[in-house]
Amino acid sequence: MPTYRTASEEETIALGERLARDLPAKQLVLLIGQLGAGKTTLAKGIVMGLGAAQPDEVSSPTFTLIHEYGSSRRVYHVDLYRLDEPREAQTLGLEDLFEREAVVLMEWGERFPQLLPAERTEIRIRTMTGEEREIQVTRIAQSNT
Amino acid sequence: MRILGIESSCDETAAAVVEDGEKILSSVVASQMSTHGKYGGVVPELASREHLRAIVPVVREALEQAGARMNDLAAIAATAGPGLVGSLLVGLTYAKSLSFASGLPLIAVNHIEGHIHAVILEARRAGTPVEFPALALVVSGGHTHLFEVSGDGRYRLLGRTRDDAAGEAFDKVAKLLGFGYPGGPIVDRLARYGNGTAVRFTFAKMKGNALDFSFSGLKTAVLRWVQARDLEAEIAARRALVRTQAHPTDEEWLAATPQDTLDLLASFQQAVITELLTRATASANRMEARSVMISGGVACNSGLRAAAELARLPCPVYFPSPGLSTDNAAMIAAAAFPKLRRREFAALDIAAQANLTLA
């Protein structure tokens, strides 16, 4: 289970860019961490690493729920923060997204485990002191569940 | 010339009939209609299934209220993006089928352009039309953008948020302090009881475009302020208040909110407003704007309205009325009017685009 440390937003973006290289073409990536941990910041790096958009173009999807980036290589950035019930999340058509040949980055998705595919990557971001973050990557394969 | 406008980009299903880009004959918003009373229109009406349920009655209601029939219309306009594809598709597909069945032209509108036209519509109606070039600040839960708007319907993006939208920052700060979600309007109501200069927030200097916004750091600063103090009891008290009372009064909120927290709310709101107006002023100066338009849900914020009056903006500032600040379809029909005159029609195979840009 690889664990990384970053000391600034720039380093978190750079790490995201590197992590993107190891992601399968079709994968759900849960970004897990409290408010202000840097989930959207890491998403900026991953989206850039996948060649779908520049970091400045990646903003928080909290209100809009789903952002889409890229054309040939599509990346979805989903945020379920403002949803309370699995029923609400179900109306988003997430299962449809998971079937596509695309990377789906998801914030606050761990609150609705019943809606998620078993095979996924989980990235946990912990706030250390100040700008420092500890970032832990776990790949969960189908057979583990 | 009457245009039927349809909007379904996010939570609301809306339809409206607008005449000549300025006279609203009807404007129906579904989340208010279906949940009024029970939730006061704040519960998210989500995605395609909810829109599907609402679209036909909402359009029918808009036509009825306007006293209009399909053959009184000159065109049908719908939001084509940005937004949730599943949601956008419902309104756009319905507009396409109405267009196909009636032979009326279809006009595709960008949601953000709609917010800008909410201001243009009302200013024309009031007899004080917006003069161009104008600066538009579109600021809501999902967007924080600065555009240069020219008179002939061209837009140039000057700045935008790199992380959280301003309205999102309001709602998240409200939630972490126990005011429920979305609590932006409550922050605005309570901010006037606090001292806006009590808590100093510093903004990191941004690299790149100086007209871009960033609100994520401010949100985190509020979180740190809360974590550094023992606020568990008061936050729990407010959460309990939200659970027992759908719409607490100011008095009820104040009873559950100590002065330090009111000062925090006021200071946070002040910081957001300063960010918005500083960049709006810089943009207006840079492009030599003849008017400034501020629209989107955050344009309802009374602190922002008051501060914009006092700010040293080089030209008149226009806000839409609250009903036209949040998502509605009258703004879509209004934005379609100049396109109708330019005969800028959409083909029936036009696709909804989640990441549609205006410029």
Side-chain angles (χ1 to χ4, degrees):
Chain A
M1 192 186 300
T3 302
Y4 308 86
R5 288 251 176 165
T6 62
S8 66
E9 280 194 23
E10 287 74 20
E11 283 189 28
T12 303
I13 292 174
L15 174 66
E17 206 185 339
R18 272 189 285 138
L19 294 176
R21 285 186 220 142
D22 299 330
L23 288 175
K26 176 181 169 184
Q27 182 78 347
L28 167 67
V29 181
L30 290 185
L31 302 171
I32 304 169
Q34 57 156 234
L35 207 67
K39 299 181 289 299
T40 299
T41 305
L42 189 64
K44 284 172 182 281
I46 297 176
V47 171
M48 176 162 75
L50 294 171
Q54 289 303 306
D56 282 359
E57 297 173 62
V58 177
S59 60
S60 167
T62 296
F63 187 79
T64 28
L65 301 162
I66 303 173
H67 282 173
E68 295 181 25
Y69 298 102
S71 45
S72 58
R73 182 134 195 219
R74 193 56 73 105
V75 183
Y76 297 93
H77 185 191
V78 183
D79 186 341
L80 304 183
Y81 175 85
R82 70 190 181 97
L83 306 189
D84 293 320
E85 308 281 338
R87 179 181 57 82
E88 295 174 317
Q90 264 163 354
T91 69
L92 288 176
L94 295 174
E95 47 315 336
D96 194 44
L97 287 190
F98 300 145
E99 276 166 24
R100 295 184 196 182
E101 198 70 9
V103 169
V104 178
L105 305 173
M106 187 179 279
E107 303 186 27
W108 304 101
E110 70 281 6
R111 295 163 60 236
F112 305 103
Q114 65 276 42
L115 302 179
L116 308 177
E119 189 178 331
R120 61 188 187 237
T121 300
E122 297 188 350
I123 304 182
R124 286 184 172 72
I125 311 174
R126 281 177 57 212
T127 307
M128 310 308 280
T129 51
E131 293 299 298
E132 209 183 331
R133 298 290 187 272
E134 187 187 86
I135 296 165
Q136 196 179 65
V137 182
T138 318
R139 180 75 46 85
I140 302 174
Q142 189 88 50
S143 55
N144 290 3
T145 58
Chain B
M1 286 198 283
R2 295 174 173 185
I3 297 177
L4 168 67
I6 297 175
E7 151 69 30
S8 67
S9 64
C10 199
D11 293 349
E12 337 285 4
T13 321
V17 179
V18 176
E19 192 166 78
D20 298 335
E22 62 176 77
K23 189 177 178 194
I24 300 175
L25 302 179
S26 66
S27 181
V28 180
V29 181
S31 67
Q32 291 169 9
M33 215 165 68
S34 56
T35 59
H36 187 75
K38 195 171 169 201
Y39 303 108
V42 291
V43 85
E45 281 288 299
L46 278 175
S48 40
R49 270 175 244 180
E50 297 297 334
H51 286 296
L52 265 177
R53 212 162 53 184
I55 188 78
V56 174
V58 165
V59 169
R60 188 184 297 142
E61 177 78 14
L63 288 169
E64 269 173 26
Q65 280 185 22
R69 280 177 304 194
M70 288 301 288
N71 49 19
D72 300 329
L73 302 173
I76 292 161
T79 308
L84 274 176
V85 164
S87 302
L88 288 163
L89 271 176
V90 175
L92 187 60
T93 307
Y94 193 56
K96 282 181 191 177
S97 38
L98 289 177
S99 163
F100 181 72
S102 64
L104 292 169
L106 175 71
I107 299 174
V109 175
N110 181 301
H111 178 79
I112 296 173
E113 186 175 20
H115 277 301
I116 294 171
H117 275 266
V119 182
I120 296 174
L121 173 153
E122 285 197 314
R124 278 179 61 179
R125 195 71 190 148
T128 52
V130 171
E131 290 195 32
F132 299 98
L135 172 78
L137 168 62
V138 180
V139 56
S140 66
H143 309 284
T144 307
H145 287 90
L146 286 164
F147 288 100
E148 179 178 337
V149 185
S150 62
D152 56 0
R154 281 179 300 124
Y155 303 89
R156 193 160 69 91
L157 180 67
L158 300 175
R160 63 168 170 204
T161 183
R162 293 186 191 170
D163 39 60
D164 299 0
E168 174 186 345
F170 268 98
D171 289 335
K172 284 188 168 169
V173 161
K175 183 170 177 179
L176 79 91
L177 284 163
F179 290 99
Y181 188 91
I186 299 168
V187 174
D188 183 26
R189 267 163 54 196
L190 298 182
R192 60 196 155 100
Y193 299 101
N195 174 1
T197 59
V199 185
R200 296 269 170 203
F201 293 108
T202 51
F203 283 86
K205 194 154 169 55
M206 273 205 293
K207 292 172 195 140
N209 184 2
L211 297 178
D212 276 351
F213 298 96
S214 169
F215 293 105
S216 175
L218 179 59
K219 169 190 73 186
T220 310
V222 172
L223 181 69
R224 295 263 162 81
W225 189 94
V226 171
Q227 285 170 339
R229 285 159 185 80
D230 184 20
L231 300 187
E232 287 310 312
E234 60 165 284
I235 290 172
R238 287 191 291 267
R239 287 197 179 129
L241 181 59
V242 176
R243 275 196 300 274
T244 53
Q245 189 100 346
H247 302 286
T249 62
D250 283 11
E251 287 66 35
E252 287 167 322
W253 281 126
L254 290 171
T257 311
Q259 191 60 44
D260 277 358
T261 303
L262 293 171
D263 289 346
L264 173 75
L265 292 179
S267 302
F268 161 77
Q269 168 152 314
Q270 193 52 55
V272 175
I273 291 170
T274 304
E275 279 295 288
L276 292 174
L277 291 181
T278 303
R279 284 174 177 66
T281 307
S283 307
N285 285 328
R286 183 191 288 188
M287 57 168 273
E288 297 180 7
R290 297 178 67 193
S291 342
V292 170
M293 304 185 264
I294 302 181
S295 62
V298 178
C300 294
N301 184 282
S302 64
L304 175 61
R305 285 180 183 240
E309 297 291 321
L310 296 173
R312 292 207 192 113
L313 281 157
C315 51
V317 185
Y318 296 84
F319 282 92
S321 56
L324 284 187
S325 297
T326 48
D327 289 355
N328 66 86
M331 67 185 198
I332 302 303
F337 183 64
K339 294 180 196 290
L340 172 64
R341 290 217 282 207
R342 294 196 297 266
R343 304 187 60 77
E344 217 176 285
F345 301 135
L348 284 178
D349 63 352
I350 186 177
Q353 230 184 304
N355 50 5
L356 185 67
T357 53
L358 185 55

